Amino acid sequence: MLYRKEKIVVKFNPNDTRLKLVNPQMISQSGVQECVEGCLSFPNRFVKTIRPQKVTIQALNEYGEEMIVDGEDEMAKCFCHELEHLDGMIFLDKAIEELSAL
């Protein structure tokens, strides 16, 4: 197993929650959802993806303490998207259909 030393910061707007996750790993996933997805690295480009409905992430917080975080729906999509960046993947790698600019 590779030990990653990356840090990810996720800002999720509905309630302006900010999480700092060090060495995040997805430890479980369930369900399926079809998503519309974009990325700040690819302005005005959107695709449909298939993502888990719910995910559980294990990580360290900014103080080195272990934490477990669950994400459902949009947050599950966000976690998947950001963790894939850490593995060198982008949302286009998961595209099932290209969409017109929204």
Side-chain angles (χ1 to χ4, degrees), residues 61-96:
N61 68 15
E62 60 195 292
Y63 306 107
E65 302 162 336
E66 187 173 302
M67 60 188 293
I68 303 288
V69 182
D70 291 317
E72 293 187 52
D73 304 319
E74 286 293 310
M75 195 63 178
K77 175 179 78 172
C78 183
F79 278 136
C80 291
H81 180 108
E82 297 302 333
L83 267 62
E84 287 168 359
H85 277 306
L86 297 178
D87 290 329
M89 295 176 64
I90 59 173
F91 76 116
L92 298 173
D93 297 326
K94 296 290 185 173
I96 60 170

Side-chain angles (χ1 to χ4, degrees), residues 18 27-28 43 47 50 53-54 66 69 74 78 80-81 95 101:
R18 194 174 292 218
I27 57 173
S28 72
V47 300
I50 301 295
Q53 190 78 35
K54 182 177 180 180
E66 187 173 302
V69 182
E74 286 293 310
C78 183
C80 291
H81 180 108

Side-chain angles (χ1 to χ4, degrees), residues 2-3 11 13 16 22 27 29 33 37 39 49 51 53-55 61 68 74 79 85 89 96-97 99:
L2 292 176
Y3 184 74
K11 183 177 180 186
N13 287 328
D16 201 30
V22 179
I27 57 173
Q29 59 181 326
Q33 63 176 326
E37 200 163 334
C39 184
T49 58
R51 298 290 191 181
Q53 190 78 35
K54 182 177 180 180
V55 298
N61 68 15
I68 303 288
E74 286 293 310
F79 278 136
H85 277 306
M89 295 176 64
I96 60 170
E97 181 182 338
L99 300 173

